[in-house]
Amino acid sequence: MQGEASRSLPCSLEAPLSVFWSSGPGRLWLESNYPPGSPGCCTTATLTFCLLCLQLAMAKRLPARRLDGIDHNPWVEFGKLASEADVVNLGQGFPDFPPPDFAVEAFQHAVSRDFMLNQYTKAFGYPPLTKILASFFGKFLGQVIDPLKNVLVTVGAYGALFTAFQALVDVGDEVIIIEPFFDCYEPMTLMAGGRPVFVSLKPCPTQDGELDSSSNWQLDPTELASKFTSRTKALILNTPNNPLGKVFSRAELELVASLCQQHDVVCITDEVYQWLVYDGYQHISIASLPGMWERTLTVGSAGKTFSVTGWKVGWVLGPDSLLKHLRTVHQNSVYHCPTQGQAAVAQCFEQEQMLFGQPSSYFAQLPQAIQHNRDHMIRSLQSVGLRPVIPQGSYFLITDISDFKSKMPDLPGAADEPYDRRFVKWMIKNKGLVAIPVSVFYSVPHRKLFDHYIRFCFMKDESTLQAMDQKLQMWKDELRP
Ligand SMILES: Cc1ncc(COP(=O)(O)O)c(C=O)c1O
């Protein structure tokens, strides 16, 4: 950027000044039009003062106000800590093992066969992908889904969520967020000008010695109902939930559905872990409940579905009356998503559609394998006195660290820093294990109430789980009297 401005300055120097600025640091300078030594010429000191005044007068607020208060991101912070030491990383949610062969082959196919897949495709989704998503999910949602009107392909589920918030949430609108929540819902609401309204899932007491379960964490129906006002525009649901692993029951979804209908509220449902459910639990899409399709946006992710988080292919399904507004955001932002990734995802779904319901289906095999990981992790964490909350879905579990909080309350950290954050930093440094403090999944006022849990990811290779076991064994040895 380069430019020129003439201003009258708050000093005796009246002559027009030419001020030049450029984008590089220290490249702002000022020229007086009086010759050096002439009566009109100012001294260096005056010039410096004028320059300061001028800089102040010209100072513009650089970041847009919509960024206020949302500059911190837990994934950036804890990702950095994880990369700095020799640790076993059970923090961020991604598989550290190869994707299934059929997915790798589908991608290879997409990059090597049809050269036109190197080019732009349709703005709202590569047609074979929108077609298979429509037919595949149509059955689950009990709808005839039109690939052109009811499907939008996005840059990951993140892209779907961002597009939905931008399209529907207006300044002053309220968005109900169920805590603990996938952390981006709050900044996305704020960036759209909305006001997040939080309601927490509360754990029911367990019997002595019994492990807690994510199904014990429930919404208080009266409290939930009290959050709906005439300004409520949307409610965001996440089932199976990250970080808790809760799979919402039909009765819980019916409660949410009836309140959304009663108050004319849109439900944005993030179902990226829908295939990862355990112990015979069943994932139910809220859009399949009576009267809900018309007011629901269902978000999915190929990254979570086929263990390929780097592909960043996501989608959102919903009625045309809602999706048309998301298309407006999409066509004026990313316009369309990378073609080859979409072609690969289409091929993966085509295969899964043929195998669906059979034991060889990936959607049948993956949860079985990952349930084994979950159970392995539960046993290992218990061995050092951590108390995992058994998740019924997703690839995360949270674990209760209250015993540590009472035994070692004074871990290093800022006085107002929630205990779980201090504990995770201590654990990374002293035990070589990375987890995520659960308070990052809560609104600021509720953080202190839930600062005695940390989240682990069990979508990890056997070798990573064994490395975790070794770290935990050393920890256990230290604990022995
Ligand atoms: C609940 C939830 N929604 C959305 C996403 C983002 O998915 P994607 O990688 O497809 O953008 C994640 C990623 O961790 C998630 O946990």
Side-chain angles (χ1 to χ4, degrees), residues 271-362:
E271 303 188 0
V272 299
Y273 299 108
Q274 77 170 94
W275 307 110
L276 287 155
V277 281
Y278 315 115
D279 305 329
Y281 272 71
Q282 211 202 337
H283 166 77
I284 301 168
S285 289
I286 196 167
S288 69
L289 300 188
M292 283 308 284
W293 166 255
E294 287 310 321
R295 58 178 65 255
T296 303
L297 291 170
T298 306
V299 171
S301 159
K304 308 295 179 179
T305 303
F306 296 114
S307 309
V308 289
T309 57
W311 291 11
K312 288 299 283 186
V313 176
W315 56 86
V316 50
L317 313 173
D320 190 42
S321 56
L322 296 177
L323 270 200
K324 66 181 180 191
H325 304 299
L326 276 70
R327 289 196 292 268
T328 304
V329 175
H330 187 85
Q331 76 199 9
N332 292 306
S333 50
V334 293
Y335 186 66
H336 93 113
C337 302
T339 312
Q340 290 162 332
Q342 295 190 64
V345 175
Q347 195 175 317
C348 292
F349 267 112
E350 280 155 13
Q351 159 162 334
E352 269 308 299
Q353 192 161 46
M354 283 189 303
L355 297 177
F356 198 74
Q358 296 175 33
S360 54
S361 151
Y362 188 62

XYZ file of all heavy atoms in Angstrom, residues 271-362:
729
model
N -22.906 -33.813 13.037
C -22.956 -35.271 13.233
C -21.721 -35.934 12.635
O -21.795 -37.036 12.075
C -24.263 -35.809 12.633
C -25.467 -35.115 13.259
C -26.831 -35.690 12.899
O -26.906 -36.667 12.128
O -27.833 -35.134 13.393
N -20.574 -35.266 12.756
C -19.374 -35.773 12.075
C -18.922 -37.139 12.601
O -18.252 -37.879 11.892
C -18.199 -34.760 12.120
C -18.553 -33.463 11.435
C -17.701 -34.513 13.535
N -19.303 -37.478 13.841
C -18.874 -38.790 14.392
C -20.003 -39.818 14.341
O -20.014 -40.764 15.131
C -18.399 -38.610 15.845
C -17.223 -37.672 15.952
C -17.360 -36.393 16.488
C -15.971 -38.039 15.476
C -16.285 -35.522 16.561
C -14.891 -37.179 15.541
C -15.062 -35.925 16.080
O -13.995 -35.065 16.140
N -20.932 -39.651 13.423
C -22.117 -40.487 13.460
C -21.844 -41.986 13.316
O -22.626 -42.807 13.779
C -23.142 -40.041 12.417
C -22.853 -40.446 10.994
C -24.066 -40.141 10.124
O -24.138 -39.076 9.511
N -25.018 -41.051 10.065
N -20.724 -42.358 12.680
C -20.450 -43.790 12.495
C -19.682 -44.365 13.669
O -19.486 -45.575 13.749
C -19.681 -44.040 11.187
C -20.407 -43.417 10.043
C -20.026 -42.330 9.319
C -21.686 -43.814 9.525
N -20.983 -42.009 8.387
C -22.016 -42.916 8.487
C -22.597 -44.841 9.834
C -23.196 -43.002 7.767
C -23.773 -44.925 9.104
C -24.060 -44.009 8.089
N -19.218 -43.501 14.565
C -18.400 -43.972 15.686
C -19.254 -44.058 16.948
O -19.253 -43.163 17.793
C -17.205 -43.043 15.888
C -16.159 -43.226 14.783
C -15.324 -41.989 14.605
C -15.271 -44.423 15.091
N -20.060 -45.120 17.028
C -20.885 -45.347 18.218
C -20.624 -46.762 18.732
O -20.397 -47.676 17.944
C -22.398 -45.113 17.969
C -22.741 -43.646 17.978
C -22.859 -45.737 16.685
N -20.678 -46.906 20.059
C -20.226 -48.154 20.699
C -21.325 -48.730 21.586
O -22.337 -48.074 21.846
C -18.976 -47.869 21.542
C -17.976 -46.993 20.804
C -17.671 -45.703 21.256
C -17.372 -47.444 19.628
C -16.784 -44.891 20.569
C -16.475 -46.628 18.938
C -16.191 -45.359 19.408
O -15.331 -44.552 18.714
N -21.033 -49.933 22.089
C -21.888 -50.610 23.080
C -23.330 -50.756 22.594
O -24.268 -50.695 23.399
C -21.920 -49.812 24.422
C -20.526 -49.562 24.986
O -19.654 -50.399 24.767
O -20.328 -48.512 25.640
N -23.525 -50.896 21.302
C -24.878 -51.089 20.783
C -25.718 -49.820 20.748
O -26.909 -49.859 20.447
N -25.117 -48.681 21.076
C -25.867 -47.408 20.990
C -26.164 -47.102 19.525
O -25.474 -47.559 18.626
C -25.069 -46.257 21.618
C -25.329 -46.123 23.102
C -24.846 -47.079 23.988
C -26.087 -45.074 23.601
C -25.101 -46.982 25.343
C -26.347 -44.977 24.963
C -25.851 -45.924 25.818
O -26.115 -45.822 27.156
N -27.175 -46.279 19.312
C -27.557 -45.953 17.939
C -27.550 -44.452 17.742
O -28.056 -43.704 18.603
C -28.975 -46.481 17.712
C -29.247 -46.907 16.298
C -30.744 -46.898 16.020
O -31.565 -46.989 16.941
N -31.089 -46.761 14.755
N -26.938 -44.026 16.650
C -26.969 -42.597 16.344
C -28.297 -42.265 15.670
O -28.698 -42.944 14.715
C -25.811 -42.234 15.404
C -25.968 -40.883 14.792
N -25.702 -39.723 15.491
C -26.400 -40.493 13.566
C -25.950 -38.680 14.711
N -26.377 -39.121 13.535
N -28.940 -41.229 16.135
C -30.193 -40.786 15.495
C -29.983 -39.355 15.015
O -29.510 -38.500 15.772
C -31.376 -40.827 16.493
C -31.567 -42.252 17.021
C -32.663 -40.314 15.848
C -32.515 -42.339 18.209
N -30.328 -39.105 13.760
C -30.238 -37.738 13.231
C -31.513 -36.993 13.599
O -32.620 -37.462 13.297
C -30.127 -37.764 11.700
O -28.878 -38.233 11.319
N -31.346 -35.827 14.185
C -32.531 -35.076 14.614
C -33.396 -34.676 13.405
O -34.618 -34.549 13.519
C -32.145 -33.858 15.491
C -33.369 -33.327 16.244
C -31.431 -32.779 14.707
C -33.049 -32.346 17.357
N -32.758 -34.564 12.236
C -33.527 -34.192 11.033
C -34.525 -35.271 10.640
O -35.450 -35.016 9.859
C -32.580 -33.913 9.868
N -34.341 -36.508 11.179
C -35.269 -37.589 10.816
C -36.519 -37.577 11.715
O -37.454 -38.334 11.465
C -34.559 -38.945 10.927
O -34.287 -39.243 12.288
N -36.531 -36.750 12.753
C -37.711 -36.707 13.627
C -38.830 -35.896 12.960
O -38.544 -34.976 12.177
C -37.363 -36.070 14.981
C -36.280 -36.774 15.814
C -36.190 -36.149 17.198
C -36.547 -38.258 15.948
N -40.083 -36.220 13.287
C -41.206 -35.532 12.621
C -41.096 -34.008 12.736
O -40.803 -33.488 13.815
C -42.440 -36.045 13.377
C -42.002 -37.314 14.028
C -40.517 -37.230 14.244
N -41.272 -33.337 11.615
C -41.291 -31.870 11.593
C -39.919 -31.214 11.675
O -39.829 -29.985 11.753
N -38.847 -32.010 11.678
C -37.523 -31.404 11.874
C -36.743 -31.152 10.581
O -35.870 -30.278 10.538
C -36.674 -32.250 12.825
C -37.066 -32.068 14.276
S -37.123 -30.326 14.798
C -35.397 -29.913 14.981
N -36.990 -31.929 9.534
C -36.222 -31.723 8.296
C -36.277 -30.257 7.861
O -35.268 -29.660 7.503
C -36.761 -32.639 7.175
C -36.257 -32.269 5.808
C -36.952 -31.640 4.822
C -34.935 -32.485 5.286
N -36.160 -31.447 3.720
C -34.914 -31.962 3.977
C -33.766 -33.071 5.787
C -33.784 -32.002 3.149
C -32.635 -33.106 4.974
C -32.654 -32.569 3.679
N -37.454 -29.667 7.937
C -37.659 -28.311 7.423
C -36.857 -27.251 8.179
O -36.676 -26.141 7.699
C -39.151 -27.944 7.479
C -39.984 -28.655 6.435
C -39.414 -28.543 5.026
O -38.905 -27.450 4.667
O -39.462 -29.543 4.275
N -36.385 -27.591 9.399
C -35.678 -26.566 10.179
C -34.293 -27.042 10.618
O -33.722 -26.493 11.559
C -36.501 -26.136 11.393
C -36.870 -27.230 12.362
C -37.636 -26.698 13.545
N -38.911 -26.151 13.177
C -39.181 -24.837 13.113
N -38.264 -23.956 13.441
N -40.368 -24.419 12.748
N -33.757 -28.069 9.915
C -32.470 -28.619 10.371
C -31.418 -28.592 9.274
O -31.698 -28.906 8.115
C -32.665 -30.079 10.863
O -33.651 -30.076 11.890
C -31.375 -30.660 11.405
N -30.200 -28.250 9.688
C -29.031 -28.378 8.814
C -28.162 -29.480 9.406
O -27.753 -29.383 10.574
C -28.241 -27.069 8.785
C -28.925 -25.903 8.084
C -28.156 -24.616 8.338
C -29.048 -26.170 6.581
N -27.896 -30.522 8.638
C -27.116 -31.660 9.143
C -25.716 -31.610 8.536
O -25.558 -31.638 7.316
C -27.822 -32.987 8.772
O -29.165 -32.929 9.259
C -27.104 -34.183 9.382
N -24.727 -31.534 9.425
C -23.342 -31.336 8.974
C -22.565 -32.652 9.073
O -22.659 -33.362 10.082
C -22.671 -30.253 9.862
C -21.180 -30.157 9.594
C -23.354 -28.905 9.654
N -21.785 -32.964 8.036
C -20.961 -34.183 8.041
C -19.554 -33.902 7.556
O -19.265 -32.838 6.986
N -18.670 -34.881 7.774
C -17.256 -34.704 7.424
C -16.680 -35.996 6.857
O -16.755 -37.051 7.521
C -16.482 -34.322 8.690
O -15.101 -34.585 8.555
N -16.088 -35.915 5.665
C -15.410 -37.096 5.112
C -14.176 -37.415 5.938
O -13.782 -38.569 6.072
C -15.023 -36.839 3.663
N -13.561 -36.378 6.506
C -12.364 -36.577 7.326
C -12.626 -37.555 8.453
O -11.838 -38.471 8.709
N -13.762 -37.362 9.145
C -14.098 -38.231 10.270
C -14.699 -39.549 9.772
O -14.545 -40.584 10.389
C -15.102 -37.535 11.196
C -14.680 -36.140 11.650
C -13.447 -36.143 12.530
C -13.068 -34.721 12.928
N -11.913 -34.646 13.787
N -15.404 -39.497 8.635
C -16.108 -40.674 8.135
C -15.138 -41.730 7.604
O -15.318 -42.916 7.828
C -17.089 -40.250 7.015
O -17.962 -39.264 7.558
C -17.911 -41.396 6.495
N -14.116 -41.273 6.850
C -13.199 -42.235 6.220
C -11.773 -42.129 6.758
O -10.829 -42.546 6.101
C -13.219 -42.045 4.691
C -14.564 -42.346 4.078
C -15.326 -41.335 3.485
C -15.089 -43.633 4.106
C -16.575 -41.600 2.929
C -16.338 -43.908 3.558
C -17.079 -42.888 2.967
N -11.609 -41.509 7.936
C -10.289 -41.394 8.580
C -9.285 -40.658 7.695
O -8.122 -41.079 7.562
C -9.744 -42.785 8.943
O -10.689 -43.514 9.656
N -9.730 -39.565 7.076
C -8.871 -38.785 6.174
C -9.042 -37.293 6.490
O -9.487 -36.507 5.636
C -9.211 -39.080 4.685
C -8.769 -40.473 4.276
C -10.717 -38.924 4.411
N -8.653 -36.882 7.690
C -8.962 -35.505 8.108
C -8.288 -34.452 7.224
O -8.764 -33.325 7.143
C -8.575 -35.279 9.585
O -7.185 -35.587 9.744
C -9.396 -36.129 10.530
N -7.183 -34.841 6.562
C -6.483 -33.869 5.717
C -7.190 -33.573 4.399
O -6.846 -32.602 3.723
N -8.165 -34.384 4.022
C -8.853 -34.106 2.750
C -9.747 -32.873 2.844
O -10.030 -32.230 1.853
C -9.723 -35.299 2.340
C -8.960 -36.524 1.943
C -7.617 -36.772 2.097
C -9.513 -37.692 1.320
N -7.313 -38.030 1.627
C -8.458 -38.613 1.138
C -10.793 -38.054 0.915
C -8.649 -39.866 0.548
C -10.991 -39.297 0.344
C -9.919 -40.203 0.153
N -10.239 -32.613 4.047
C -11.107 -31.451 4.293
C -12.286 -31.373 3.314
O -12.515 -30.360 2.637
C -10.290 -30.149 4.250
C -9.379 -29.954 5.442
C -10.074 -29.887 6.787
C -10.742 -28.589 7.065
N -11.272 -28.580 8.473
N -13.004 -32.470 3.235
C -14.262 -32.450 2.474
C -15.400 -32.604 3.491
O -15.397 -33.552 4.287
C -14.325 -33.593 1.432
C -15.690 -33.603 0.729
C -13.208 -33.454 0.409
N -16.314 -31.667 3.489
C -17.463 -31.738 4.383
C -18.733 -31.453 3.593
O -18.680 -31.159 2.385
N -19.858 -31.532 4.272
C -21.119 -31.245 3.576
C -22.161 -30.800 4.581
O -22.007 -30.994 5.788
C -21.633 -32.472 2.816
C -21.816 -33.681 3.675
C -22.900 -34.028 4.416
C -20.829 -34.703 3.906
N -22.668 -35.200 5.091
C -21.407 -35.641 4.792
C -19.529 -34.935 3.452
C -20.725 -36.767 5.232
C -18.850 -36.057 3.896
C -19.448 -36.956 4.765
N -23.205 -30.198 4.039
C -24.362 -29.859 4.861
C -25.598 -30.219 4.054
O -25.672 -29.962 2.850
C -24.308 -28.387 5.344
C -24.047 -27.421 4.235
C -25.546 -27.991 6.123
N -26.545 -30.868 4.740
C -27.793 -31.302 4.108
C -28.937 -30.548 4.762
O -28.912 -30.330 5.987
C -28.013 -32.805 4.337
C -26.819 -33.738 4.067
C -27.144 -35.165 4.511
C -26.482 -33.726 2.581
N -29.917 -30.184 3.977
C -31.060 -29.483 4.580
C -32.055 -29.057 3.514
O -31.834 -29.261 2.305
N -33.148 -28.442 3.948
C -34.176 -28.011 2.993
C -33.663 -26.840 2.158
O -32.815 -26.065 2.624
C -35.322 -27.576 3.899
C -34.660 -27.162 5.162
C -33.465 -28.052 5.327
N -34.193 -26.718 0.963
C -33.765 -25.635 0.072
C -33.990 -24.259 0.712
O -33.201 -23.336 0.528
C -34.553 -25.762 -1.241
C -34.008 -24.832 -2.306
O -32.774 -24.729 -2.411
O -34.821 -24.196 -3.005
N -35.059 -24.140 1.507
C -35.372 -22.834 2.113
C -34.225 -22.355 3.006
O -34.016 -21.149 3.167
C -36.655 -22.938 2.932
O -36.507 -23.961 3.898
N -33.460 -23.275 3.602
C -32.292 -22.882 4.400
C -31.030 -22.892 3.542
O -30.215 -21.966 3.586
C -32.094 -23.846 5.576
C -33.193 -23.913 6.641
C -32.853 -24.967 7.693
C -33.383 -22.561 7.317
N -30.885 -23.964 2.743
C -29.619 -24.106 1.997
C -29.394 -23.003 0.973
O -28.255 -22.669 0.665
C -29.575 -25.464 1.302
C -28.972 -26.625 2.087
C -28.546 -27.744 1.169
C -27.803 -26.213 2.955
N -30.473 -22.404 0.471
C -30.263 -21.351 -0.532
C -29.461 -20.188 0.070
O -28.669 -19.552 -0.624
C -31.571 -20.879 -1.164
C -32.503 -20.185 -0.259
C -33.773 -19.802 -1.033
C -34.725 -19.091 -0.108
N -36.048 -18.927 -0.678
N -29.619 -19.961 1.367
C -28.856 -18.869 1.994
C -27.398 -19.281 2.213
O -26.490 -18.462 2.106
C -29.515 -18.465 3.311
C -30.951 -18.076 3.120
N -31.318 -17.022 2.312
C -32.097 -18.639 3.583
C -32.644 -16.936 2.306
N -33.130 -17.899 3.048
N -27.186 -20.561 2.482
C -25.806 -21.044 2.629
C -25.100 -20.983 1.270
O -23.918 -20.668 1.186
C -25.773 -22.471 3.170
C -25.863 -22.609 4.703
C -27.232 -22.248 5.225
C -25.472 -24.000 5.165
N -25.865 -21.252 0.207
C -25.245 -21.183 -1.132
C -24.791 -19.755 -1.424
O -23.770 -19.528 -2.079
C -26.232 -21.686 -2.206
C -26.474 -23.184 -2.147
C -27.127 -23.714 -3.418
N -28.487 -23.259 -3.610
C -29.579 -23.905 -3.188
N -29.460 -25.059 -2.565
N -30.786 -23.418 -3.416
N -25.554 -18.772 -0.938
C -25.160 -17.372 -1.171
C -23.810 -17.089 -0.506
O -22.928 -16.457 -1.105
C -26.233 -16.408 -0.612
O -27.468 -16.747 -1.200
C -25.900 -14.964 -0.889
N -23.638 -17.586 0.730
C -22.342 -17.373 1.404
C -21.247 -18.105 0.636
O -20.177 -17.558 0.356
C -22.399 -17.889 2.869
C -21.033 -17.789 3.534
C -23.430 -17.108 3.668
N -21.542 -19.347 0.280
C -20.531 -20.193 -0.364
C -20.072 -19.594 -1.702
O -18.874 -19.508 -1.972
C -21.160 -21.578 -0.578
C -20.217 -22.619 -1.072
N -19.412 -23.358 -0.230
C -19.952 -23.056 -2.319
C -18.691 -24.203 -0.954
N -19.013 -24.043 -2.219
N -21.028 -19.143 -2.506
C -20.647 -18.625 -3.834
C -19.883 -17.305 -3.730
O -19.185 -16.911 -4.661
C -21.873 -18.483 -4.740
C -22.757 -17.300 -4.432
C -24.156 -17.435 -5.015
O -24.527 -18.479 -5.507
N -24.936 -16.369 -4.965
N -20.011 -16.648 -2.576
C -19.291 -15.385 -2.396
C -18.075 -15.526 -1.483
O -17.498 -14.528 -1.063
C -20.237 -14.328 -1.827
C -21.284 -13.946 -2.852
O -20.951 -13.567 -3.967
N -22.543 -14.099 -2.507
N -17.722 -16.754 -1.174
C -16.518 -16.956 -0.349
C -15.595 -17.949 -1.044
O -14.772 -17.561 -1.859
C -16.884 -17.396 1.072
O -17.786 -18.476 1.055
N -15.751 -19.255 -0.786
C -14.823 -20.201 -1.443
C -15.248 -20.532 -2.875
O -14.469 -21.056 -3.641
C -14.675 -21.512 -0.647
C -13.995 -21.280 0.675
C -15.998 -22.206 -0.450
N -16.477 -20.299 -3.202
C -17.119 -20.597 -4.480
C -17.224 -22.097 -4.742
O -18.293 -22.631 -4.911
C -16.457 -19.895 -5.668
C -17.262 -20.118 -6.932
C -18.543 -19.586 -7.048
C -16.802 -20.921 -7.960
C -19.333 -19.842 -8.164
C -17.577 -21.182 -9.079
C -18.834 -20.635 -9.163
O -19.630 -20.895 -10.248
N -16.093 -22.807 -4.796
C -16.257 -24.262 -4.872
C -15.062 -24.929 -4.215
O -14.037 -24.303 -3.980
C -16.467 -24.733 -6.313
C -15.218 -25.137 -7.025
N -14.966 -26.434 -7.404
C -14.153 -24.430 -7.394
C -13.783 -26.492 -7.984
N -13.275 -25.286 -8.010
N -15.220 -26.205 -3.880
C -14.169 -26.907 -3.121
C -13.329 -27.751 -4.080
O -13.774 -28.078 -5.182
C -14.826 -27.804 -2.074
S -15.861 -26.856 -0.964
N -12.123 -28.137 -3.643
C -11.237 -28.895 -4.533
C -11.925 -30.129 -5.130
O -12.591 -30.884 -4.424
C -10.074 -29.279 -3.621
C -10.064 -28.221 -2.563
C -11.507 -27.866 -2.339
N -11.746 -30.312 -6.421
C -12.501 -31.330 -7.150
C -12.042 -32.751 -6.828
O -12.858 -33.649 -6.613
C -12.364 -31.081 -8.669
O -12.629 -29.690 -8.914
C -13.329 -31.911 -9.474
N -10.710 -32.961 -6.781
C -10.240 -34.348 -6.650
C -10.652 -34.981 -5.318
O -11.051 -36.150 -5.285
C -8.715 -34.392 -6.820
C -8.334 -34.107 -8.267
C -6.882 -33.708 -8.434
O -6.284 -33.155 -7.507
N -6.335 -33.970 -9.598
N -10.576 -34.216 -4.246
C -11.003 -34.747 -2.941
C -12.474 -35.141 -2.986
O -12.871 -36.180 -2.444
N -13.271 -34.331 -3.647
C -14.709 -34.633 -3.739
C -14.939 -35.921 -4.536
O -15.788 -36.742 -4.192
C -15.443 -33.494 -4.418
C -15.436 -32.190 -3.644
C -16.389 -31.193 -4.280
O -17.592 -31.414 -4.314
N -15.852 -30.094 -4.776
N -14.137 -36.070 -5.628
C -14.296 -37.279 -6.458
C -13.929 -38.515 -5.641
O -14.599 -39.554 -5.712
C -13.414 -37.172 -7.701
N -12.873 -38.394 -4.822
C -12.448 -39.530 -4.002
C -13.526 -39.875 -2.972
O -13.848 -41.048 -2.765
C -11.127 -39.200 -3.317
N -14.094 -38.855 -2.350
C -15.131 -39.106 -1.331
C -16.370 -39.742 -1.994
O -16.981 -40.666 -1.438
C -15.506 -37.806 -0.581
C -16.663 -38.044 0.389
C -14.297 -37.265 0.184
N -16.688 -39.282 -3.199
C -17.843 -39.866 -3.903
C -17.615 -41.366 -4.101
O -18.500 -42.184 -3.829
C -18.037 -39.168 -5.251
N -16.398 -41.705 -4.524
C -16.110 -43.132 -4.764
C -16.190 -43.944 -3.457
O -16.688 -45.061 -3.450
C -14.713 -43.259 -5.392
C -14.483 -44.633 -5.988
C -13.155 -44.721 -6.723
O -12.790 -43.811 -7.461
N -12.443 -45.811 -6.518
N -15.712 -43.367 -2.362
C -15.785 -44.064 -1.060
C -17.244 -44.336 -0.686
O -17.594 -45.431 -0.247
C -15.135 -43.225 0.044
S -13.360 -43.060 -0.126
N -18.094 -43.323 -0.843
C -19.506 -43.519 -0.487
C -20.180 -44.517 -1.423
O -21.046 -45.294 -0.987
C -20.265 -42.185 -0.515
C -20.303 -41.511 0.835
C -19.623 -40.327 1.047
C -21.012 -42.067 1.893
C -19.643 -39.703 2.293
C -21.040 -41.448 3.144
C -20.354 -40.274 3.343
N -19.775 -44.509 -2.709
C -20.396 -45.463 -3.648
C -20.101 -46.883 -3.184
O -20.970 -47.751 -3.183
C -19.880 -45.218 -5.076
C -20.592 -44.039 -5.738
C -19.768 -43.371 -6.836
O -18.748 -43.939 -7.269
O -20.138 -42.242 -7.237
N -18.853 -47.103 -2.742
C -18.497 -48.440 -2.240
C -19.282 -48.763 -0.973
O -19.827 -49.852 -0.819
C -17.002 -48.493 -1.957
C -16.674 -49.605 -0.998
C -15.235 -50.022 -0.979
O -14.506 -49.865 -1.948
N -14.820 -50.571 0.147
N -19.345 -47.811 -0.052
C -20.035 -48.060 1.218
C -21.524 -48.316 1.005
O -22.137 -49.086 1.728
C -19.848 -46.886 2.178
C -18.661 -47.028 3.078
C -18.611 -48.359 3.834
O -19.531 -48.653 4.606
O -17.644 -49.103 3.623
N -22.066 -47.668 0.010
C -23.502 -47.881 -0.241
C -23.762 -49.338 -0.641
O -24.746 -49.932 -0.234
C -24.004 -46.938 -1.321
C -25.520 -46.941 -1.398
C -26.092 -45.738 -2.109
O -25.609 -45.373 -3.176
N -27.084 -45.119 -1.537
N -22.813 -49.880 -1.396
C -22.990 -51.275 -1.827
C -22.835 -52.241 -0.656
O -23.478 -53.259 -0.591
C -21.964 -51.608 -2.912
C -22.353 -51.023 -4.254
S -21.331 -51.609 -5.570
C -19.701 -51.183 -5.073
N -21.924 -51.890 0.279
C -21.624 -52.816 1.385
C -22.479 -52.572 2.622
O -22.394 -53.331 3.589
C -20.147 -52.673 1.799
C -19.096 -53.034 0.759
C -17.705 -52.774 1.307
C -19.235 -54.509 0.366
N -23.266 -51.521 2.592
C -23.924 -51.079 3.827
C -24.736 -52.210 4.476
O -25.450 -52.939 3.809
C -24.826 -49.866 3.575
C -25.142 -49.176 4.870
C -24.183 -48.421 5.511
C -26.371 -49.342 5.487
C -24.445 -47.827 6.735
C -26.645 -48.746 6.704
C -25.676 -47.986 7.321
N -24.573 -52.342 5.784
C -25.313 -53.380 6.517
C -24.573 -54.704 6.540
O -24.940 -55.614 7.279
N -23.498 -54.827 5.760
C -22.739 -56.088 5.757
C -21.543 -55.960 6.709
O -21.023 -54.857 6.908
C -22.241 -56.388 4.344
C -23.373 -56.618 3.360
C -22.855 -56.804 1.942
O -21.780 -57.346 1.748
N -23.605 -56.336 0.970
N -21.053 -57.103 7.212
C -19.918 -57.030 8.149
C -18.681 -56.405 7.516
O -17.846 -55.829 8.213
C -19.659 -58.492 8.520
C -20.870 -59.249 8.105
C -21.565 -58.471 7.035
N -18.552 -56.482 6.178
C -17.347 -55.937 5.529
C -17.433 -54.413 5.330
O -16.479 -53.797 4.870
C -17.125 -56.611 4.174
O -18.302 -56.484 3.408
N -18.562 -53.796 5.687
C -18.691 -52.346 5.517
C -17.737 -51.628 6.482
O -17.587 -52.019 7.640
C -20.146 -51.949 5.811
O -20.198 -50.633 6.299
N -17.109 -50.576 5.986
C -16.192 -49.788 6.840
C -16.950 -49.220 8.034
O -16.423 -49.138 9.134
C -15.578 -48.668 5.995
C -14.477 -47.897 6.708
C -13.313 -48.519 7.127
C -14.604 -46.528 6.954
C -12.296 -47.819 7.764
C -13.597 -45.816 7.583
C -12.444 -46.468 7.989
O -11.447 -45.771 8.622
